[in-house]
Amino acid sequence: MFYIKSRFPFILICMSLLSCSFNPQVTNNIKDQTYISKSNIEINSRGYPKKLNVFYLDSKPEDFIEGIYVNFFLTKKQFAYVPELLFVNLLDSKDCKRLEIEKDSYSIIYLNDKNLKKLTLDCLSKIKKSSGIVINFSKNNFSIEGDYKILLVERIKTIKDLTSYARENGSMKTIIIDDESTNDKEAIKNLWEVSGGKVIATATLNNQSESQKLLSRVLLLEQSEIRKRKLSRKIGLPLENKIRRRQDVDSFIISTNLENARNLRPAFEYNFAKLLPVYFIPSWNSDEVFKDKEHDLERSVIADMPLILKSKIEPSSLNKVKKSRKFAAGYDAFELAILLNNEVDIEYLGMMGFISNKSKDLRLQTLRAEVIEGKFKYLNYSD
């Protein structure tokens, strides 16, 4: 458990990121090309919590905490709002025992551990005395007494949004490929079939060198070669075999890490499948980042957080930050703490996506983009 107070000599990276002057441009139109923007609100620091409690359940929380830090300094520079920050590791029972919640404080709870049972009753009983927001990456349902807004951040929701987009754009018969980092081809298959689509085949890519072999199998290229050899033997003449793509497939869905996707997409074109749409959901279990130009993913439609997809950020100094989903969560958590203490209804262009609170809890819409000539062409947020 540690505190950050108003004059704490902070992390150098935060100061270097924010040293440039900036003039935030805010838009409520999600079709604009700026997909991440600092909120343009009037802050009266007297009416805001003087202390923000940041509770985290994550064995590797460094990027999340850095995201909190960066937005803390950005807000300090823009609005002169400087709350005291209290960081509490929910995996540390000693932190919970020492914890005392002040009545006028506000809390951010960040969950990124599959086993929520690690949360002790002692911790929960103290946390519920406050109000705040919950950022839940944990893949488990979480509820808490008190005045809390919950934002559920699920990769499966991103997959569902992208498969719905594929169906709306005419894809019906698909091949699904995952890898060991995602292991979710059956979940995607269920989503596709529930939407009325047909899954022609599923496959798992175990390593990069197998991409051509895997595609030969799912595209039935080996069967075409066998038929050619049999016919050649029957007529006693050599035959030239022009490979044709499967006629019962109209799309591919790739759920792999970034490097595997880069190997698969060119292999599709080589195997005469270049006319088929490719929908790609990157693994969240990887620190890989997109390149400035992704020619190996040409014409793939990708769904992910705006920060990961390198969308335009205001202020522009934030373009230097680490492209990490945990960083995005920390940055947005701090921003949401400000917004929810300022406005009843919010529409926020965050690093994780477009966040609103039209319902009881918070709603996240991730971004879609198509790779055209190596560059991302943004297709708007999921519905």
Side-chain angles (χ1 to χ4, degrees):
M1 182 164 59
F2 59 97
Y3 291 87
I4 304 297
K5 295 190 177 182
S6 60
R7 295 187 180 181
F8 192 92
F10 230 58
I11 295 178
L12 293 177
I13 186 174
C14 299
M15 299 306 296
S16 64
L17 284 170
L18 304 177
S19 60
C20 302
S21 61
F22 62 89
N23 181 23
Q25 299 176 9
V26 180
T27 174
N28 289 323
N29 185 351
I30 62 175
K31 294 183 179 180
D32 289 352
Q33 287 302 301
T34 299
Y35 287 92
I36 304 172
S37 183
K38 184 75 175 166
S39 304
N40 187 17
I41 57 177
E42 295 293 331
I43 289 185
N44 176 2
S45 60
R46 293 181 182 178
Y48 280 77
K50 292 181 173 59
K51 179 181 285 187
L52 287 178
N53 310 305
V54 181
F55 304 103
Y56 57 91
L57 187 72
D58 190 340
S59 58
K60 296 180 179 180
E62 293 80 8
D63 285 358
F64 174 79
I65 293 173
E66 186 179 332
I68 293 274
Y69 286 169
V70 168
N71 205 345
F72 171 89
F73 273 107
L74 191 63
T75 302
K76 176 183 177 181
K77 183 170 184 175
Q78 184 176 352
F79 300 115
Y81 172 52
V82 191
E84 182 180 335
L85 300 182
L86 169 65
F87 288 84
V88 179
N89 181 1
L90 294 176
L91 293 174
D92 187 340
S93 58
K94 293 180 181 179
D95 271 9
C96 288
K97 289 180 180 178
R98 295 194 300 264
L99 179 63
E100 293 295 335
I101 300 292
E102 296 182 12
K103 290 183 179 180
D104 59 348
S105 65
Y106 192 82
S107 296
I108 295 169
I109 303 175
Y110 166 63
L111 306 174
N112 194 21
D113 193 294
K114 294 179 181 179
N115 188 5
L116 294 184
K117 292 180 180 178
K118 293 177 182 178
L119 273 171
T120 66
L121 292 175
D122 185 38
C123 261
L124 285 173
S125 63
K126 292 180 179 180
I127 292 172
K128 70 181 183 181
K129 295 177 183 178
S130 178
S131 61
I133 58 172
V134 178
I135 311 294
N136 186 2
F137 276 73
S138 72
K139 299 182 181 179
N140 290 297
N141 291 327
F142 176 80
S143 60
I144 185 171
E145 296 178 21
D147 186 15
Y148 278 90
K149 287 281 188 180
I150 297 178
L151 178 61
L152 190 59
V153 186
E154 296 180 297
R155 185 173 176 272
I156 192 66
K157 172 65 165 54
T158 301
I159 293 171
K160 184 177 180 179
D161 291 339
L162 189 59
T163 54
S164 296
Y165 177 81
R167 292 284 292 111
E168 290 167 5
N169 283 271
S171 294
M172 172 65 74
K173 299 172 288 186
T174 196
I175 290 175
I176 300 168
I177 300 174
D178 68 1
D179 65 10
E180 293 175 340
S181 73
T182 57
N183 192 30
D184 56 3
K185 63 178 184 291
E186 291 303 317
I188 300 173
K189 180 175 182 287
N190 290 337
L191 286 173
W192 192 259
E193 291 176 341
V194 166
S195 72
K198 182 178 181 181
V199 176
I200 303 304
T202 64
T204 296
L205 181 62
N206 294 315
N207 59 67
Q208 297 171 17
S209 61
E210 289 187 354
S211 59
Q212 181 57 47
K213 183 178 179 181
L214 180 144
L215 287 177
S216 293
R217 175 165 57 83
V218 298
L219 294 174
L220 303 182
L221 302 182
E222 293 177 353
Q223 293 185 22
S224 178
E225 179 64 23
I226 292 171
R227 287 194 298 269
K228 183 200 78 170
R229 289 199 298 266
K230 286 182 178 180
L231 182 57
S232 178
R233 286 196 297 269
K234 283 185 178 180
I235 64 176
L237 294 172
L239 295 175
E240 180 180 349
N241 183 32
K242 183 177 180 181
I243 301 174
R244 296 180 180 179
R245 69 175 176 88
R246 291 184 62 158
Q247 299 301 307
D248 60 343
V249 177
D250 58 25
S251 59
F252 284 90
I253 298 174
I254 305 176
S255 175
T256 66
N257 64 40
L258 192 47
E259 194 56 37
N260 279 338
R262 290 189 184 117
N263 285 318
L264 282 167
R265 185 65 182 89
F268 292 156
E269 294 195 8
Y270 178 80
N271 289 292
F272 300 88
K274 62 182 179 181
L275 299 178
L276 298 182
V278 175
Y279 300 96
F280 173 41
I281 311 97
S283 170
W284 285 16
N285 297 318
S286 170
D287 293 328
E288 298 170 303
V289 297
F290 286 103
K291 301 174 184 176
D292 290 336
K293 287 198 173 182
E294 285 287 359
H295 291 294
D296 286 339
L297 297 175
E298 187 67 22
R299 301 207 64 82
S300 298
V301 177
I302 307 170
D304 211 320
M305 297 179 181
L307 181 66
I308 305 302
L309 294 176
K310 295 190 171 184
S311 63
K312 182 181 176 183
I313 306 176
E314 295 290 351
S316 59
S317 59
L318 289 175
N319 284 297
K320 302 175 185 177
V321 301
K322 184 176 182 180
K323 303 300 185 288
S324 156
R325 295 175 185 86
K326 291 184 180 182
F327 179 95
Y331 181 93
D332 286 352
F334 189 91
E335 191 78 7
L336 288 169
I338 296 173
L339 287 170
L340 291 170
N341 275 282
N342 184 78
E343 300 176 0
V344 176
D345 295 324
I346 66 169
E347 291 186 345
Y348 165 53
L349 299 171
M351 290 190 174
M352 290 191 292
F354 182 65
I355 302 173
S356 60
N357 65 340
K358 299 296 184 183
S359 60
K360 179 181 178 181
D361 286 315
L362 298 168
R363 182 190 181 205
L364 173 66
Q365 296 167 256
T366 49
L367 188 60
R368 292 188 292 254
E370 184 174 7
V371 181
I372 303 294
E373 296 182 353
K375 291 286 191 179
F376 288 123
K377 176 186 177 183
Y378 300 105
L379 303 174
N380 215 331
Y381 290 97
S382 59
D383 297 328

